[in-house]
Amino acid sequence: MGTFRDLIIHQKAFSLAMDIFHLTKQFPKEERYALTDQIHRSSRGVCTNLAEAYRKRRYEAAFIAKLTDADTENTETLVHLDFAMACGFMEHVRHNELVRRCEEVGVMLNSMMENPAKWVLKPRK
């Protein structure tokens, strides 16, 4: 089955986090310890929680719990993107594209949570 890095959702979330990282280089310096740090943590948190969920596939409840954490981080990222837009730190077109990508990751996370049997490891006999 490979590693978590092979998951399309991880690749999409990682790419999104990196694009957000590059975008935030343009944010004002006074936002470094507020919005910039928060959006970095939440966007990266999606990837780290996905990796942890993948490693916890032996236990359905733990798997779903980590996916829920990833979904929470993804939603937090959406809110930070909205603040960045409202503060004038990005253009509408860029905001809409990043939001669309966040929502795509959210749909994929929800699919995994709703269909854990596809992902959870079967007990060894």
Short mmCIF file of all heavy atoms in Angstrom, two decimals, residues 2-67:
data_model
loop_
_atom_site.label_atom_id
_atom_site.label_comp_id
_atom_site.label_asym_id
_atom_site.label_seq_id
_atom_site.Cartn_x
_atom_site.Cartn_y
_atom_site.Cartn_z
N GLY A 2 2.16 1.15 0.19
CA GLY A 2 3.02 2.33 0.14
C GLY A 2 3.06 3.08 1.45
O GLY A 2 2.79 2.53 2.52
N THR A 3 3.37 4.37 1.36
CA THR A 3 3.43 5.23 2.54
C THR A 3 2.40 6.35 2.41
O THR A 3 1.78 6.52 1.35
CB THR A 3 4.83 5.86 2.71
OG1 THR A 3 5.00 6.89 1.71
CG2 THR A 3 5.93 4.83 2.58
N PHE A 4 2.28 7.12 3.46
CA PHE A 4 1.35 8.25 3.44
C PHE A 4 1.70 9.23 2.32
O PHE A 4 0.83 9.90 1.79
CB PHE A 4 1.31 8.95 4.80
CG PHE A 4 2.57 9.67 5.15
CD1 PHE A 4 2.76 10.99 4.80
CD2 PHE A 4 3.59 9.03 5.85
CE1 PHE A 4 3.94 11.66 5.12
CE2 PHE A 4 4.75 9.67 6.18
CZ PHE A 4 4.94 10.99 5.81
N ARG A 5 2.97 9.30 1.95
CA ARG A 5 3.39 10.21 0.89
C ARG A 5 2.80 9.84 -0.47
O ARG A 5 2.73 10.67 -1.37
CB ARG A 5 4.91 10.24 0.78
CG ARG A 5 5.58 10.95 1.92
CD ARG A 5 7.09 11.01 1.68
NE ARG A 5 7.77 11.54 2.84
CZ ARG A 5 8.33 10.79 3.78
NH1 ARG A 5 8.30 9.47 3.69
NH2 ARG A 5 8.93 11.35 4.80
N ASP A 6 2.40 8.58 -0.61
CA ASP A 6 1.81 8.11 -1.86
C ASP A 6 0.34 8.48 -2.00
O ASP A 6 -0.22 8.38 -3.10
CB ASP A 6 1.95 6.58 -1.98
CG ASP A 6 3.40 6.14 -2.02
OD1 ASP A 6 4.23 6.83 -2.63
OD2 ASP A 6 3.71 5.10 -1.40
N LEU A 7 -0.28 8.89 -0.92
CA LEU A 7 -1.70 9.24 -0.96
C LEU A 7 -1.90 10.55 -1.74
O LEU A 7 -1.23 11.55 -1.48
CB LEU A 7 -2.25 9.41 0.46
CG LEU A 7 -2.20 8.21 1.38
CD1 LEU A 7 -2.64 8.61 2.78
CD2 LEU A 7 -3.07 7.08 0.83
N ILE A 8 -2.84 10.54 -2.65
CA ILE A 8 -3.14 11.75 -3.43
C ILE A 8 -3.54 12.88 -2.49
O ILE A 8 -3.14 14.03 -2.69
CB ILE A 8 -4.24 11.46 -4.47
CG1 ILE A 8 -3.68 10.52 -5.54
CG2 ILE A 8 -4.75 12.75 -5.10
CD1 ILE A 8 -4.71 9.99 -6.51
N ILE A 9 -4.31 12.58 -1.46
CA ILE A 9 -4.74 13.62 -0.52
C ILE A 9 -3.54 14.25 0.18
O ILE A 9 -3.50 15.46 0.36
CB ILE A 9 -5.78 13.09 0.49
CG1 ILE A 9 -6.32 14.24 1.33
CG2 ILE A 9 -5.21 11.97 1.35
CD1 ILE A 9 -7.46 13.87 2.23
N HIS A 10 -2.56 13.45 0.54
CA HIS A 10 -1.36 14.01 1.18
C HIS A 10 -0.63 14.92 0.19
O HIS A 10 -0.20 16.02 0.55
CB HIS A 10 -0.42 12.92 1.69
CG HIS A 10 0.88 13.47 2.17
ND1 HIS A 10 1.02 14.08 3.39
CD2 HIS A 10 2.09 13.55 1.57
CE1 HIS A 10 2.26 14.50 3.53
NE2 HIS A 10 2.93 14.19 2.43
N GLN A 11 -0.49 14.49 -1.03
CA GLN A 11 0.20 15.28 -2.05
C GLN A 11 -0.52 16.61 -2.28
O GLN A 11 0.13 17.66 -2.38
CB GLN A 11 0.32 14.48 -3.35
CG GLN A 11 1.20 13.26 -3.19
CD GLN A 11 1.06 12.27 -4.34
OE1 GLN A 11 0.44 12.55 -5.36
NE2 GLN A 11 1.65 11.09 -4.15
N LYS A 12 -1.84 16.58 -2.32
CA LYS A 12 -2.61 17.81 -2.51
C LYS A 12 -2.49 18.73 -1.30
O LYS A 12 -2.31 19.94 -1.45
CB LYS A 12 -4.09 17.49 -2.78
CG LYS A 12 -4.34 16.89 -4.16
CD LYS A 12 -5.81 16.56 -4.35
CE LYS A 12 -6.08 16.00 -5.72
NZ LYS A 12 -6.05 17.00 -6.78
N ALA A 13 -2.58 18.16 -0.11
CA ALA A 13 -2.47 18.96 1.12
C ALA A 13 -1.06 19.55 1.26
O ALA A 13 -0.90 20.70 1.68
CB ALA A 13 -2.84 18.13 2.34
N PHE A 14 -0.05 18.77 0.93
CA PHE A 14 1.33 19.23 1.02
C PHE A 14 1.57 20.37 0.03
O PHE A 14 2.16 21.41 0.39
CB PHE A 14 2.31 18.08 0.75
CG PHE A 14 3.74 18.43 1.03
CD1 PHE A 14 4.27 18.23 2.29
CD2 PHE A 14 4.55 18.94 0.04
CE1 PHE A 14 5.59 18.56 2.57
CE2 PHE A 14 5.87 19.26 0.29
CZ PHE A 14 6.40 19.08 1.56
N SER A 15 1.12 20.20 -1.19
CA SER A 15 1.26 21.24 -2.21
C SER A 15 0.55 22.53 -1.78
O SER A 15 1.08 23.63 -1.94
CB SER A 15 0.69 20.74 -3.54
OG SER A 15 0.70 21.75 -4.50
N LEU A 16 -0.63 22.38 -1.22
CA LEU A 16 -1.38 23.53 -0.73
C LEU A 16 -0.63 24.24 0.39
O LEU A 16 -0.50 25.47 0.38
CB LEU A 16 -2.77 23.09 -0.25
CG LEU A 16 -3.66 24.17 0.35
CD1 LEU A 16 -3.95 25.27 -0.65
CD2 LEU A 16 -4.95 23.53 0.86
N ALA A 17 -0.11 23.48 1.34
CA ALA A 17 0.65 24.07 2.44
C ALA A 17 1.88 24.83 1.93
O ALA A 17 2.21 25.91 2.43
CB ALA A 17 1.06 23.00 3.45
N MET A 18 2.55 24.26 0.94
CA MET A 18 3.73 24.93 0.39
C MET A 18 3.34 26.20 -0.37
O MET A 18 4.03 27.23 -0.25
CB MET A 18 4.51 23.98 -0.52
CG MET A 18 5.22 22.86 0.23
SD MET A 18 6.29 23.45 1.59
CE MET A 18 7.45 24.47 0.70
N ASP A 19 2.24 26.17 -1.10
CA ASP A 19 1.78 27.38 -1.79
C ASP A 19 1.40 28.46 -0.80
O ASP A 19 1.67 29.65 -1.01
CB ASP A 19 0.62 27.06 -2.73
CG ASP A 19 1.07 26.32 -3.98
OD1 ASP A 19 2.30 26.23 -4.23
OD2 ASP A 19 0.19 25.84 -4.72
N ILE A 20 0.77 28.06 0.30
CA ILE A 20 0.43 29.02 1.35
C ILE A 20 1.70 29.60 1.97
O ILE A 20 1.81 30.80 2.21
CB ILE A 20 -0.49 28.37 2.41
CG1 ILE A 20 -1.89 28.17 1.82
CG2 ILE A 20 -0.54 29.20 3.70
CD1 ILE A 20 -2.83 27.34 2.67
N PHE A 21 2.70 28.75 2.22
CA PHE A 21 3.98 29.21 2.76
C PHE A 21 4.58 30.30 1.86
O PHE A 21 4.98 31.36 2.33
CB PHE A 21 4.95 28.04 2.90
CG PHE A 21 6.36 28.46 3.17
CD1 PHE A 21 6.72 28.91 4.44
CD2 PHE A 21 7.31 28.43 2.16
CE1 PHE A 21 8.03 29.31 4.69
CE2 PHE A 21 8.60 28.83 2.42
CZ PHE A 21 8.98 29.28 3.68
N HIS A 22 4.61 30.04 0.55
CA HIS A 22 5.19 31.02 -0.37
C HIS A 22 4.35 32.30 -0.43
O HIS A 22 4.91 33.40 -0.50
CB HIS A 22 5.37 30.41 -1.76
CG HIS A 22 6.42 29.34 -1.78
ND1 HIS A 22 7.74 29.57 -1.49
CD2 HIS A 22 6.32 28.01 -2.02
CE1 HIS A 22 8.43 28.45 -1.57
NE2 HIS A 22 7.58 27.48 -1.87
N LEU A 23 3.05 32.16 -0.37
CA LEU A 23 2.17 33.32 -0.35
C LEU A 23 2.43 34.20 0.87
O LEU A 23 2.48 35.43 0.77
CB LEU A 23 0.70 32.88 -0.36
CG LEU A 23 -0.34 33.98 -0.16
CD1 LEU A 23 -0.44 34.85 -1.39
CD2 LEU A 23 -1.69 33.37 0.20
N THR A 24 2.62 33.58 2.02
CA THR A 24 2.76 34.35 3.26
C THR A 24 4.07 35.13 3.33
O THR A 24 4.21 36.01 4.18
CB THR A 24 2.63 33.45 4.50
OG1 THR A 24 3.66 32.46 4.47
CG2 THR A 24 1.26 32.82 4.59
N LYS A 25 5.01 34.83 2.46
CA LYS A 25 6.25 35.62 2.41
C LYS A 25 5.95 37.08 2.07
O LYS A 25 6.73 37.96 2.39
CB LYS A 25 7.23 35.03 1.39
CG LYS A 25 7.83 33.72 1.83
CD LYS A 25 8.79 33.20 0.76
CE LYS A 25 9.42 31.90 1.17
NZ LYS A 25 10.38 31.41 0.16
N GLN A 26 4.78 37.30 1.45
CA GLN A 26 4.37 38.65 1.07
C GLN A 26 3.55 39.35 2.17
O GLN A 26 3.26 40.53 2.05
CB GLN A 26 3.53 38.60 -0.21
CG GLN A 26 4.21 37.95 -1.38
CD GLN A 26 3.24 37.65 -2.50
OE1 GLN A 26 2.14 38.16 -2.56
NE2 GLN A 26 3.65 36.77 -3.40
N PHE A 27 3.17 38.62 3.20
CA PHE A 27 2.38 39.22 4.28
C PHE A 27 3.24 40.24 5.03
O PHE A 27 4.47 40.09 5.11
CB PHE A 27 1.90 38.15 5.26
CG PHE A 27 0.77 37.28 4.76
CD1 PHE A 27 0.34 37.30 3.45
CD2 PHE A 27 0.13 36.41 5.63
CE1 PHE A 27 -0.69 36.48 3.00
CE2 PHE A 27 -0.89 35.59 5.20
CZ PHE A 27 -1.30 35.62 3.89
N PRO A 28 2.61 41.24 5.63
CA PRO A 28 3.37 42.22 6.41
C PRO A 28 4.11 41.56 7.57
O PRO A 28 3.65 40.58 8.14
CB PRO A 28 2.28 43.16 6.95
CG PRO A 28 1.08 42.92 6.11
CD PRO A 28 1.18 41.51 5.61
N LYS A 29 5.26 42.12 7.91
CA LYS A 29 6.09 41.57 9.00
C LYS A 29 5.33 41.53 10.32
O LYS A 29 5.54 40.62 11.12
CB LYS A 29 7.38 42.37 9.15
CG LYS A 29 8.28 42.31 7.95
CD LYS A 29 8.89 40.95 7.77
CE LYS A 29 9.82 40.93 6.58
NZ LYS A 29 9.86 39.68 5.88
N GLU A 30 4.45 42.50 10.55
CA GLU A 30 3.72 42.53 11.82
C GLU A 30 2.75 41.36 11.96
O GLU A 30 2.26 41.09 13.06
CB GLU A 30 2.99 43.85 12.04
CG GLU A 30 1.93 44.19 11.02
CD GLU A 30 2.43 45.02 9.84
OE1 GLU A 30 3.66 45.11 9.63
OE2 GLU A 30 1.58 45.56 9.13
N GLU A 31 2.51 40.63 10.88
CA GLU A 31 1.64 39.45 10.93
C GLU A 31 2.43 38.16 11.18
O GLU A 31 1.84 37.09 11.27
CB GLU A 31 0.85 39.32 9.63
CG GLU A 31 -0.25 40.34 9.49
CD GLU A 31 -1.35 40.20 10.51
OE1 GLU A 31 -1.57 39.08 11.05
OE2 GLU A 31 -2.02 41.20 10.80
N ARG A 32 3.76 38.26 11.29
CA ARG A 32 4.61 37.07 11.42
C ARG A 32 4.17 36.18 12.57
O ARG A 32 4.13 34.95 12.44
CB ARG A 32 6.07 37.48 11.60
CG ARG A 32 6.97 36.25 11.83
CD ARG A 32 8.42 36.59 11.91
NE ARG A 32 8.87 37.06 10.61
CZ ARG A 32 9.78 38.01 10.44
NH1 ARG A 32 10.33 38.59 11.47
NH2 ARG A 32 10.14 38.36 9.24
N TYR A 33 3.87 36.74 13.72
CA TYR A 33 3.53 35.94 14.90
C TYR A 33 2.03 35.77 15.09
O TYR A 33 1.60 35.17 16.06
CB TYR A 33 4.18 36.53 16.15
CG TYR A 33 5.68 36.57 16.02
CD1 TYR A 33 6.35 37.77 15.84
CD2 TYR A 33 6.41 35.39 16.01
CE1 TYR A 33 7.72 37.80 15.68
CE2 TYR A 33 7.79 35.40 15.85
CZ TYR A 33 8.43 36.61 15.68
OH TYR A 33 9.79 36.63 15.51
N ALA A 34 1.27 36.27 14.16
CA ALA A 34 -0.18 36.12 14.26
C ALA A 34 -0.67 35.27 13.08
O ALA A 34 -0.56 34.04 13.12
CB ALA A 34 -0.84 37.50 14.27
N LEU A 35 -1.17 35.91 12.07
CA LEU A 35 -1.77 35.19 10.96
C LEU A 35 -0.79 34.27 10.24
O LEU A 35 -1.13 33.12 9.93
CB LEU A 35 -2.37 36.20 9.97
CG LEU A 35 -3.13 35.62 8.78
CD1 LEU A 35 -4.27 34.73 9.24
CD2 LEU A 35 -3.65 36.75 7.90
N THR A 36 0.42 34.72 9.99
CA THR A 36 1.38 33.90 9.25
C THR A 36 1.69 32.60 9.97
O THR A 36 1.62 31.51 9.38
CB THR A 36 2.68 34.70 8.99
OG1 THR A 36 2.35 35.89 8.26
CG2 THR A 36 3.68 33.89 8.20
N ASP A 37 2.03 32.68 11.27
CA ASP A 37 2.31 31.46 12.03
C ASP A 37 1.10 30.55 12.10
O ASP A 37 1.22 29.33 11.98
CB ASP A 37 2.75 31.80 13.46
CG ASP A 37 4.23 32.12 13.56
OD1 ASP A 37 4.94 31.98 12.56
OD2 ASP A 37 4.66 32.51 14.66
N GLN A 38 -0.07 31.14 12.29
CA GLN A 38 -1.29 30.33 12.42
C GLN A 38 -1.62 29.57 11.14
O GLN A 38 -1.95 28.39 11.18
CB GLN A 38 -2.47 31.22 12.83
CG GLN A 38 -2.36 31.77 14.23
CD GLN A 38 -2.40 30.66 15.27
OE1 GLN A 38 -3.14 29.70 15.15
NE2 GLN A 38 -1.57 30.80 16.29
N ILE A 39 -1.51 30.25 10.01
CA ILE A 39 -1.85 29.59 8.75
C ILE A 39 -0.78 28.55 8.37
O ILE A 39 -1.10 27.52 7.79
CB ILE A 39 -2.12 30.61 7.61
CG1 ILE A 39 -2.92 29.93 6.50
CG2 ILE A 39 -0.85 31.23 7.09
CD1 ILE A 39 -3.50 30.91 5.49
N HIS A 40 0.46 28.81 8.74
CA HIS A 40 1.51 27.80 8.52
C HIS A 40 1.19 26.55 9.33
O HIS A 40 1.23 25.43 8.82
CB HIS A 40 2.89 28.31 8.94
CG HIS A 40 3.48 29.30 8.00
ND1 HIS A 40 4.66 29.96 8.27
CD2 HIS A 40 3.08 29.77 6.79
CE1 HIS A 40 4.95 30.77 7.28
NE2 HIS A 40 4.00 30.68 6.37
N ARG A 41 0.89 26.73 10.62
CA ARG A 41 0.63 25.59 11.49
C ARG A 41 -0.59 24.79 11.05
O ARG A 41 -0.57 23.56 11.03
CB ARG A 41 0.46 26.04 12.94
CG ARG A 41 1.79 26.10 13.66
CD ARG A 41 1.59 26.44 15.10
NE ARG A 41 2.07 27.82 15.19
CZ ARG A 41 1.77 28.68 16.11
NH1 ARG A 41 0.96 28.35 17.07
NH2 ARG A 41 2.25 29.89 16.11
N SER A 42 -1.67 25.49 10.72
CA SER A 42 -2.89 24.76 10.35
C SER A 42 -2.73 24.04 9.01
O SER A 42 -3.14 22.88 8.89
CB SER A 42 -4.10 25.68 10.35
OG SER A 42 -4.00 26.68 9.35
N SER A 43 -2.13 24.69 8.02
CA SER A 43 -1.99 24.03 6.71
C SER A 43 -1.03 22.84 6.80
O SER A 43 -1.26 21.80 6.19
CB SER A 43 -1.54 25.02 5.64
OG SER A 43 -0.26 25.56 5.91
N ARG A 44 0.02 22.97 7.59
CA ARG A 44 0.94 21.85 7.77
C ARG A 44 0.33 20.77 8.66
O ARG A 44 0.63 19.59 8.51
CB ARG A 44 2.25 22.35 8.39
CG ARG A 44 3.04 23.21 7.43
CD ARG A 44 4.21 23.87 8.10
NE ARG A 44 4.92 24.72 7.15
CZ ARG A 44 5.90 25.54 7.50
NH1 ARG A 44 6.29 25.61 8.77
NH2 ARG A 44 6.49 26.28 6.59
N GLY A 45 -0.55 21.18 9.56
CA GLY A 45 -1.22 20.24 10.45
C GLY A 45 -2.09 19.25 9.70
O GLY A 45 -2.28 18.12 10.16
N VAL A 46 -2.62 19.65 8.55
CA VAL A 46 -3.39 18.71 7.74
C VAL A 46 -2.50 17.55 7.35
O VAL A 46 -2.86 16.38 7.52
CB VAL A 46 -3.96 19.41 6.47
CG1 VAL A 46 -4.70 18.40 5.60
CG2 VAL A 46 -4.88 20.57 6.86
N CYS A 47 -1.30 17.86 6.87
CA CYS A 47 -0.36 16.82 6.42
C CYS A 47 0.12 15.95 7.58
O CYS A 47 0.18 14.72 7.45
CB CYS A 47 0.85 17.47 5.75
SG CYS A 47 0.42 18.39 4.27
N THR A 48 0.45 16.57 8.70
CA THR A 48 0.97 15.78 9.81
C THR A 48 -0.10 14.86 10.39
O THR A 48 0.18 13.71 10.73
CB THR A 48 1.58 16.67 10.91
OG1 THR A 48 0.59 17.61 11.37
CG2 THR A 48 2.79 17.43 10.41
N ASN A 49 -1.32 15.34 10.48
CA ASN A 49 -2.40 14.50 10.99
C ASN A 49 -2.75 13.39 10.02
O ASN A 49 -3.11 12.28 10.43
CB ASN A 49 -3.62 15.34 11.35
CG ASN A 49 -3.45 16.03 12.67
OD1 ASN A 49 -3.38 15.38 13.71
ND2 ASN A 49 -3.35 17.35 12.65
N LEU A 50 -2.65 13.65 8.72
CA LEU A 50 -2.85 12.60 7.73
C LEU A 50 -1.80 11.50 7.89
O LEU A 50 -2.12 10.31 7.84
CB LEU A 50 -2.74 13.17 6.32
CG LEU A 50 -4.02 13.65 5.66
CD1 LEU A 50 -3.69 14.45 4.41
CD2 LEU A 50 -4.92 12.48 5.34
N ALA A 51 -0.56 11.92 8.08
CA ALA A 51 0.53 10.94 8.27
C ALA A 51 0.28 10.10 9.52
O ALA A 51 0.45 8.88 9.50
CB ALA A 51 1.87 11.66 8.36
N GLU A 52 -0.15 10.75 10.59
CA GLU A 52 -0.43 10.02 11.82
C GLU A 52 -1.62 9.08 11.63
O GLU A 52 -1.60 7.94 12.12
CB GLU A 52 -0.70 10.99 12.97
CG GLU A 52 0.54 11.72 13.43
CD GLU A 52 0.27 12.65 14.59
OE1 GLU A 52 -0.46 12.24 15.52
OE2 GLU A 52 0.77 13.78 14.56
N ALA A 53 -2.64 9.54 10.93
CA ALA A 53 -3.80 8.67 10.66
C ALA A 53 -3.38 7.44 9.89
O ALA A 53 -3.80 6.32 10.21
CB ALA A 53 -4.87 9.45 9.89
N TYR A 54 -2.53 7.63 8.91
CA TYR A 54 -2.06 6.51 8.10
C TYR A 54 -1.34 5.48 8.95
O TYR A 54 -1.51 4.28 8.75
CB TYR A 54 -1.16 7.04 6.98
CG TYR A 54 -0.84 6.00 5.94
CD1 TYR A 54 -1.74 5.73 4.92
CD2 TYR A 54 0.36 5.30 5.97
CE1 TYR A 54 -1.46 4.77 3.96
CE2 TYR A 54 0.64 4.34 5.02
CZ TYR A 54 -0.27 4.08 4.01
OH TYR A 54 0.01 3.13 3.07
N ARG A 55 -0.57 5.94 9.90
CA ARG A 55 0.16 5.02 10.78
C ARG A 55 -0.75 4.35 11.81
O ARG A 55 -0.37 3.36 12.42
CB ARG A 55 1.30 5.76 11.49
CG ARG A 55 2.37 6.27 10.57
CD ARG A 55 3.03 5.19 9.77
NE ARG A 55 3.75 4.30 10.66
CZ ARG A 55 4.35 3.20 10.28
NH1 ARG A 55 4.32 2.83 9.02
NH2 ARG A 55 4.99 2.45 11.14
N LYS A 56 -1.96 4.90 12.02
CA LYS A 56 -2.89 4.34 13.00
C LYS A 56 -3.99 3.51 12.35
O LYS A 56 -5.04 3.29 12.93
CB LYS A 56 -3.49 5.47 13.83
CG LYS A 56 -2.45 6.14 14.71
CD LYS A 56 -3.06 7.10 15.68
CE LYS A 56 -1.95 7.62 16.58
NZ LYS A 56 -2.44 8.18 17.79
N ARG A 57 -3.73 3.03 11.14
CA ARG A 57 -4.75 2.29 10.40
C ARG A 57 -5.12 0.96 11.03
O ARG A 57 -6.09 0.34 10.63
CB ARG A 57 -4.28 2.03 8.96
CG ARG A 57 -4.25 3.29 8.12
CD ARG A 57 -3.65 3.05 6.76
NE ARG A 57 -2.26 2.64 6.94
CZ ARG A 57 -1.66 1.70 6.23
NH1 ARG A 57 -2.30 1.07 5.28
NH2 ARG A 57 -0.40 1.37 6.46
N ARG A 58 -4.40 0.51 12.01
CA ARG A 58 -4.75 -0.75 12.69
C ARG A 58 -5.98 -0.57 13.58
O ARG A 58 -6.64 -1.54 13.93
CB ARG A 58 -3.60 -1.24 13.56
CG ARG A 58 -2.43 -1.71 12.78
CD ARG A 58 -1.48 -2.53 13.66
NE ARG A 58 -0.25 -2.80 12.98
CZ ARG A 58 -0.09 -3.66 11.99
NH1 ARG A 58 -1.13 -4.31 11.53
NH2 ARG A 58 1.07 -3.85 11.43
N TYR A 59 -6.26 0.66 13.95
CA TYR A 59 -7.34 0.96 14.90
C TYR A 59 -8.28 1.99 14.28
O TYR A 59 -7.94 3.16 14.17
CB TYR A 59 -6.75 1.49 16.21
CG TYR A 59 -5.61 0.64 16.72
CD1 TYR A 59 -4.28 1.01 16.51
CD2 TYR A 59 -5.86 -0.57 17.37
CE1 TYR A 59 -3.24 0.22 16.95
CE2 TYR A 59 -4.82 -1.37 17.81
CZ TYR A 59 -3.51 -0.97 17.60
OH TYR A 59 -2.48 -1.76 18.03
N GLU A 60 -9.44 1.53 13.88
CA GLU A 60 -10.39 2.39 13.16
C GLU A 60 -10.68 3.69 13.91
O GLU A 60 -10.68 4.75 13.32
CB GLU A 60 -11.68 1.63 12.88
CG GLU A 60 -12.66 2.42 12.04
CD GLU A 60 -13.88 1.63 11.65
OE1 GLU A 60 -13.73 0.49 11.18
OE2 GLU A 60 -14.99 2.18 11.80
N ALA A 61 -10.96 3.60 15.21
CA ALA A 61 -11.30 4.81 15.97
C ALA A 61 -10.14 5.81 15.98
O ALA A 61 -10.35 7.02 15.83
CB ALA A 61 -11.70 4.44 17.40
N ALA A 62 -8.92 5.33 16.16
CA ALA A 62 -7.75 6.21 16.17
C ALA A 62 -7.53 6.81 14.78
O ALA A 62 -7.19 8.00 14.65
CB ALA A 62 -6.51 5.45 16.63
N PHE A 63 -7.74 6.00 13.76
CA PHE A 63 -7.61 6.46 12.37
C PHE A 63 -8.58 7.61 12.10
O PHE A 63 -8.19 8.67 11.62
CB PHE A 63 -7.88 5.27 11.44
CG PHE A 63 -7.92 5.61 9.98
CD1 PHE A 63 -6.75 5.93 9.29
CD2 PHE A 63 -9.11 5.59 9.27
CE1 PHE A 63 -6.79 6.23 7.93
CE2 PHE A 63 -9.16 5.88 7.92
CZ PHE A 63 -7.99 6.20 7.25
N ILE A 64 -9.84 7.41 12.46
CA ILE A 64 -10.86 8.43 12.23
C ILE A 64 -10.58 9.67 13.07
O ILE A 64 -10.75 10.81 12.61
CB ILE A 64 -12.27 7.87 12.50
CG1 ILE A 64 -12.61 6.82 11.44
CG2 ILE A 64 -13.32 8.99 12.50
CD1 ILE A 64 -13.88 6.04 11.72
N ALA A 65 -10.11 9.48 14.31
CA ALA A 65 -9.80 10.63 15.18
C ALA A 65 -8.72 11.51 14.56
O ALA A 65 -8.83 12.75 14.58
CB ALA A 65 -9.37 10.15 16.56
N LYS A 66 -7.67 10.91 14.00
CA LYS A 66 -6.60 11.70 13.38
C LYS A 66 -7.09 12.36 12.10
O LYS A 66 -6.69 13.49 11.80
CB LYS A 66 -5.37 10.84 13.11
CG LYS A 66 -4.64 10.36 14.35
CD LYS A 66 -4.41 11.44 15.40
CE LYS A 66 -3.42 12.49 14.99
NZ LYS A 66 -3.16 13.46 16.08
N LEU A 67 -7.95 11.69 11.35
CA LEU A 67 -8.52 12.32 10.17
C LEU A 67 -9.40 13.51 10.57
O LEU A 67 -9.42 14.53 9.88
CB LEU A 67 -9.34 11.31 9.36
CG LEU A 67 -8.57 10.22 8.64
CD1 LEU A 67 -9.53 9.25 7.98
CD2 LEU A 67 -7.60 10.80 7.62
#
